[in-house]
Amino acid sequence: MAVGNKEEVVVEEIVKARTDKRKYRRIVLPNSLEILLISDHDTDKCAASMDVNVGAFSDPDGLEGLAHFLEHMLFYASEKYPSEDSYSKYISEHGGRRNAYTASENTNYYFDINSDGFEEALDRFAQFFINPLMSADATMREIKAVDSENQNNLLSDERRLKWLQKHLSSAEHPYHKFSTGNWETLDVRPKARGLDTREELIKFYKQYYSANVMHLVIYGKENLDKLQATVEDKFKDIRNIDRDCLRFGGEPCTSEHLQILVKTVPIKEGHKLRVVWPITPEIHHYKEGPCRYLSHLIHHEAKGSLYAVLKTLGWATGLSAGESDSTLEFSFFKVDIDLTDAGHDHMQDIVGLLFKYISLLQQCGVCKWIFDELSAVCETKFHYQDKIQPINYVVSISPNMQKYPPKDWLVRSSLPSNFSPDIIQMVLNKLSSDNVRIFWESKKFEGHTNMSEPWYGTAYSVERITGSMIQEWILSSPNENLHLPARNVFIPTDFSLKNDLEKAKCPVLLRKSPYSTLWYKPDTMFFTPKAYVKIAFTCPHASASPETEVLTNIFTRLWMDYLNEYAYYASVAGLSYGINHTVSGFQVTLVGYNHKLRILLETVVEKIASFKVKSDRFAVIKEMVTKRYQNLKFEQPNQQARKYCSLILRDHTFPWTENLEALPHLQVEDLAKFVPLMLSRAFVECYTAGNLERNEAESMIEHIEEVFFKGSKPMCQPLFPSQHLMNRVVKLERGKSYFYPVEGLNPSDENSALLHYIQVHRDDFMLNVKLQLFVRMAKQAAFHQLRSVEQLGYITFLQPRNDSGVCGVQFIIQSKVKDPAHIDLRVEEFLKGFETKLYEMPNDEFKSNVNALIDMKLEKHRNLREEAGFYWGEISVGTLKFDRKESEIAALRQLTQQEMMDFFIEHIKVGAPQKRSLSVRVYGNSHSSEYMTDKSSPLQPCSVKIDDILSFRSSQSLYGSFKGNDVKL
């Protein structure tokens, strides 16, 4: 553990991955601020993360959420940079992002930025911790923002269950506290006690924020010496009051809170079982990895596993296991099981089977071969880890600097290497019936509970359970063949790199036939033993109607279901796979170590070739799909608005209500008849990349063609030319403002949402960069005005939108305080104000924004998955502009400020004759009267109300599609 005086710590060399070319250095400033410097000459982005060893556990009684509120307030201004929001504005103008989070025992602040703005950004960042202003003017606005954030969380089942667990713990322990805060805890209650929240905030900051309990990670392009000089200069003035590191001893759960069965009512459809035990935190034994070992086995999905048995019985659709809510003093081991309706009726049997599996682990003892295999997988994963975005990397390191010795700051608990049966057994012994907590979630408990959790209003009841009761459940549970997993044949052993890969800068079309196209992009950048394969099947019958769309969805889930017991071993070994339903059919994705990828590919293909519908699994998957459609009405209003917008714009899409209506009538026989029909006509588009040679890629597509299109009884015939599906988008009429008012689907949700969309053009390099530059210049200003100043809603976005190559921009705002029609007017007022700002913008500020966007486009892909995502996007849409970044940079270099103003006046300006806009207004129950007004109000000139989406869509012109079958070799 990293304990004691920081200067007395003997620092061994920081352990890093064999493939990691970055340089690292630990330094400690005279004020005791401990820092990790990371130098990466190849990086396009720089980043920083400051972790402060104080969090929600330190909230004063009666001021719940104060630590979280402080996190919000530090963003506003400092004595050195007093202009409100100047930090966020600077970060945004230089191509960056910033955010923060408050956890139980720490608060983390972080940002990234283009390299040319890094030094000044660090100076602004440091002032949070030197002289923040925390102005009185901002205090009330940000309390409202915290309250709005809490309002958005109230209907999240995951949060409701989490807070119920906290509520059912000792009121004397800080784990019990409500950490988010709201209007009640930060304004109403403090005022009732004569407290000034801002004064308490400043007092809290002065008491807890000290350099000696802070840990900083800096990720830059400069060498370590230059980074060190910069950091020493910027952060040396953070005060050090030698604050002790806070420790919150004792267990949060006393005997009163153990051996309980809690029945709780969720918001969404479905049933969940959460079984929890207090355990010794793994951080104290991270080299031995007891929780990693146990979660590997309990979470396993192969034959003989707990999940495989529950799945066979038709009782579960998902299972996860592992450590949660971990601190230095206490922790929990948690098993989450998603239940079917039948599983809900067999809850006691499921708990019995879980304890049977735990008993099996006790009887078998701790197995060295399993630990060694797990250790080997972890070691391979660590040493061949993909590079991730610097902002994510620094945030992954800084919170752990307090917990681990410096040499393990990068490794953390990812490399279990000390085999210790006693330590694993110690944690295994904790998973007993004596200290278990069972949380059982189902809407079937509605009206049968007698208590309510105070912060989220979750209805629940508590029953006592005993060891003898659980023993009865164990004895009465089915006598299934639970056993340990087999040895993993997918663990790679060949990590060699292909020496004769082509030096192709962009994907190459290797072959094209009536059956398929094959794109190939060898690895010329990452030099890792990994590959990426995407296989997309276009099947016109798959999207002919709501029924066929639902059947295709069920088919892909069943396919994954049949593969799971065998292919799960591949995912454990770092070779992941996915099969999912698409608009035009379905697609398969394989990504990971290339050594045994071909074996997995052949297994995936074989499973579809021999596909047979199993009635018991069909029933389970149908039930799961039904609940997913039913739960769409419980999505947040901003998510509903996005779905309505897509339904309005995208041709040949079906409302989810029609899918849901089709589901009850579909039976096993329907799917059995449908699959051969769906596959009767198909076209395959394949993208291969990474550590693969040309002949390996060609061999894959040849195998696919042989299985599906050739042989003695081919399943598929090639598509007719007319069957190649086109993704087409509605072309809104110029000079018209369309709006679609609709009531929110969840009557319990008080929040409303607006999606204000401006459609601009079909993919064009110069128009693309103008639109992107507008978003770049307006994004932070919109957030500050609409969210921070006007307090319209915590969720406030301005972002680009791309529908199959048709580009536009959208404002998304979710609010409880104002209705969507009002917010729409505020968006237009913002655009009027921004027009003035654009006219008055100094040329150097315009150039700075252009250069920041160029810098963003110059960013290199960090890993194979990122690169593949970009190229597959071009292929799947049909634009095939693999040189997009270079071409758009060239367009940006030619762009003048006058051209940008002309673009705004033509496409974005309020009331512009050529403008095309669409407002989707989702009304929550707190704005029901405003909904009726909006629906019946007389139309303004050039305003068009959409009453029926499908009628509207069918009456509109469509943009042409980029997608076709005209690719030339």
Side-chain angles (χ1 to χ4, degrees), residues 542-590:
S543 53
S545 68
E547 284 93 346
T548 61
E549 189 171 84
V550 170
L551 285 169
T552 307
N553 191 348
I554 294 174
F555 160 72
T556 57
R557 292 177 184 277
L558 275 174
W559 187 6
M560 280 284 285
D561 190 70
Y562 296 165
L563 272 169
N564 198 51
E565 284 192 7
Y566 172 76
Y568 180 77
Y569 285 104
S571 63
V572 169
L575 182 53
S576 62
Y577 65 98
I579 302 164
N580 60 290
H581 170 222
T582 65
V583 172
S584 56
F586 59 92
Q587 64 185 22
V588 178
T589 308
L590 306 176

Side-chain angles (χ1 to χ4, degrees), residues 562-820:
Y562 296 165
L563 272 169
N564 198 51
E565 284 192 7
Y566 172 76
Y568 180 77
Y569 285 104
S571 63
V572 169
L575 182 53
S576 62
Y577 65 98
I579 302 164
N580 60 290
H581 170 222
T582 65
V583 172
S584 56
F586 59 92
Q587 64 185 22
V588 178
T589 308
L590 306 176
V591 58
Y593 303 109
N594 59 277
H595 181 201
K596 300 186 178 181
L597 184 143
R598 178 59 185 263
I599 300 170
L600 181 60
L601 173 66
E602 290 180 2
T603 304
V604 170
V605 169
E606 185 276 328
K607 282 291 182 185
I608 187 173
S610 59
F611 186 85
K612 295 286 187 295
V613 184
K614 300 174 184 176
S615 57
D616 57 337
R617 297 311 299 159
F618 174 87
V620 168
I621 299 298
K622 178 184 172 182
E623 179 189 318
M624 182 170 71
V625 169
T626 301
K627 286 174 182 171
R628 287 178 183 268
Y629 280 119
Q630 289 172 336
N631 284 331
L632 290 176
K633 68 181 179 183
F634 298 112
E635 287 187 333
Q636 291 203 2
N638 77 87
Q639 294 169 316
Q640 295 177 33
R642 293 172 198 258
K643 282 190 167 57
Y644 285 126
C645 188
S646 295
L647 191 62
I648 290 169
L649 294 176
R650 296 178 184 174
D651 190 38
H652 205 71
T653 53
F654 305 109
W656 68 273
T657 50
E658 291 185 1
N659 297 110
L660 184 60
E661 188 179 335
L663 262 164
H665 312 293
L666 299 176
Q667 303 301 325
V668 173
E669 299 77 23
D670 298 309
L671 184 61
K673 292 175 185 175
F674 169 72
V675 172
L677 174 65
M678 176 184 66
L679 294 173
S680 63
R681 293 280 173 184
F683 185 79
V684 178
E685 200 154 27
C686 185
Y687 173 82
T688 59
N691 195 38
L692 292 172
E693 294 172 347
R694 172 190 283 249
N695 64 321
E696 292 178 284
E698 290 179 325
S699 175
M700 287 180 190
I701 198 67
E702 286 168 3
H703 178 73
I704 291 168
E705 285 190 3
E706 185 64 34
V707 170
F708 289 100
F709 294 95
K710 299 174 182 177
S712 57
K713 292 183 179 179
M715 286 183 285
C716 306
Q717 294 293 319
L719 298 184
F720 292 113
S722 62
Q723 287 183 298
H724 285 272
L725 297 179
M726 310 298 176
N727 300 321
R728 303 192 64 186
V729 176
V730 166
K731 188 174 187 178
L732 299 177
E733 192 174 334
R734 292 185 183 276
K736 295 288 178 68
S737 296
Y738 300 91
F739 70 101
Y740 177 62
V742 63
E743 287 185 291
L745 297 169
N746 181 4
S748 300
D749 199 335
E750 297 184 345
N751 291 294
S752 296
L754 167 76
L755 188 154
H756 180 102
Y757 167 67
I758 302 170
Q759 190 177 73
V760 179
H761 66 286
R762 187 170 176 263
D763 191 41
D764 171 89
F765 290 140
M766 182 57 81
L767 286 171
N768 290 351
V769 298
K770 290 176 182 177
L771 183 65
Q772 293 161 15
L773 190 59
F774 163 70
V775 173
R776 156 138 296 289
M777 293 190 295
K779 185 176 183 178
Q780 183 56 37
F783 181 85
H784 179 63
Q785 179 63 34
L786 301 174
R787 189 271 202 190
S788 300
V789 176
E790 298 188 31
Q791 289 292 309
L792 294 178
Y794 178 75
I795 293 176
T796 300
F797 297 117
L798 168 59
Q799 55 193 201
R801 181 183 176 105
N802 188 322
D803 297 274
S804 299
V806 176
C807 303
V809 63
Q810 59 188 12
F811 291 81
I812 298 174
I813 302 171
Q814 182 165 297
S815 179
K816 180 187 173 184
V817 295
K818 296 293 182 182
D819 68 274

Side-chain angles (χ1 to χ4, degrees), residues 28 97 205 236 262 289 303 322-323 464 518 532 551 577 607 626 679 691 700 715 718 776 890 943 966:
V28 181
R97 298 166 292 165
Y205 177 84
K236 67 180 185 299
V262 183
K303 190 173 182 179
E323 189 178 27
R464 302 301 303 182
L518 171 63
Y532 183 102
L551 285 169
Y577 65 98
K607 282 291 182 185
T626 301
L679 294 173
N691 195 38
M700 287 180 190
M715 286 183 285
R776 156 138 296 289
S943 185
D966 55 354

Side-chain angles (χ1 to χ4, degrees), residues 4 26 41 65 67 181 239 365 479 496 519-520 540 598 628 638 653 671 688 873 879 913 926 929 934 948 965:
R26 170 193 178 265
H41 296 306
R239 69 193 180 101
N479 188 22
S496 61
W519 295 92
Y520 171 62
R598 178 59 185 263
R628 287 178 183 268
N638 77 87
T653 53
L671 184 61
T688 59
T879 43
S926 59
S929 60
D934 194 15
D948 179 78
N965 196 30

Side-chain angles (χ1 to χ4, degrees), residues 300 369 373 377 486-491 568-570 572-573 596:
H300 217 282
W369 75 265
E373 191 176 85
V377 167
R487 293 184 185 272
N488 194 335
V489 298
F490 279 102
I491 294 177
Y568 180 77
Y569 285 104
V572 169
K596 300 186 178 181

